[in-house]
Structures are given as structure tokens and as C-alpha cells.
Amino acid sequence: MKTFAISALTVLGFALASVGSSSAADVEAGKTAFNKCMACHAIGPGAANKVGPDLNGLDGRKAGTEAGYSYSDAMKNSGITWNQTEFEEYIKNPKAKVPGVKMVFAGITKQSELDNLWAYVSQFDKDGKIK
């Protein structure tokens, strides 16, 4: 009986370890996911506002405050301070999260892609350097 219990716990441990590692965010996969954003947004060294604001230093930034970008009143008044939760809710359906925003984007709903995208975007400080 002890052997069975130890074997079962060992299998369970491996199963939990594999679940934990598969749900970890992947910065490289996030970089690939960012290709969907590149037409409108820039990030990294030398990034500038495009159709949308640059995303350097997004983590902890108050929405609607990037210098030199003309935001909608809806975004300026959204009360959002960007973090993973706010970002993921927004990217799933921007117009549902903040009605009246200018952003035209169908959204990303796959949780692993959202996690990876946040891992990529949040690594950049306000100067476009990796933290």
C-alpha cells in the first residue's frame, strides 16, 4: 500500500509540475504575439507613437498619459492603471472594456497568448530598455 501511495504521489507531482511549467509566460512567444500590435504600436529602444501610443513603460502607467499621443476622452477618463489584469481584460475586447476608445482591434482571447504578450510588453521600461 505504501508503494502505491508513493507512486501515486510521484505521478501527481510530475503532473502538477508539468501544468505549472506550461502555464508560465513565454517572452519569446509574446514577442511573436506582438506582431499583431506592430501596425499601430511600437515598443523598445527608439519607439515612437504611431497610430497608437508607444508601449514602453506600460506596466504601472496611467492610461491616456503617454506624451505626444492624442487619446480619446474615453481612454483619458478610463481610470485604468496598466497592470497584467487590466491589460488582459482590455486586449480581449478593447471597446467593451473602454467604450468610446479609438482602438480598432478584434481582440485576443487565448489566455496563454495574453500571458505571453504581457510578459513581452511589461519587460520594457519607459526608455524602452529591458528591466
Side-chain angles (χ1 to χ4, degrees):
M1 185 66 173
K2 282 184 179 179
T3 304
F4 175 76
I6 291 171
S7 296
L9 288 173
T10 301
V11 169
L12 180 60
F14 281 120
L16 290 174
S18 68
V19 168
S21 64
S22 68
S23 65
D26 181 341
V27 172
E28 284 303 311
K31 183 177 182 180
T32 300
F34 190 76
N35 288 333
K36 295 177 181 179
C37 312
M38 287 178 59
C40 299
H41 297 279
I43 198 164
N49 294 328
K50 295 167 78 173
V51 173
D54 84 69
L55 300 179
N56 285 334
L58 188 66
D59 189 15
R61 183 167 86 195
K62 187 176 183 312
T65 62
E66 179 60 23
Y69 185 76
S70 178
Y71 288 93
S72 65
D73 287 339
M75 185 56 79
K76 288 189 278 189
N77 298 320
S78 68
I80 293 172
T81 298
W82 295 113
N83 60 33
Q84 185 170 1
T85 301
E86 294 286 355
F87 177 81
E88 290 182 1
E89 286 176 7
Y90 181 75
I91 295 302
K92 284 178 186 175
N93 188 341
K95 290 190 181 285
K97 174 75 174 166
V98 183
V101 296
K102 296 189 291 185
M103 185 166 164
V104 178
F105 182 65
I108 296 172
T109 57
K110 187 175 177 187
Q111 188 61 49
S112 61
E113 188 173 8
L114 290 166
D115 292 341
N116 295 338
L117 182 57
W118 177 253
Y120 177 71
V121 170
S122 66
Q123 73 177 337
F124 293 94
D125 69 14
K126 64 182 181 63
D127 298 318
K129 295 178 185 152
I130 295 177
K131 301 178 199 174

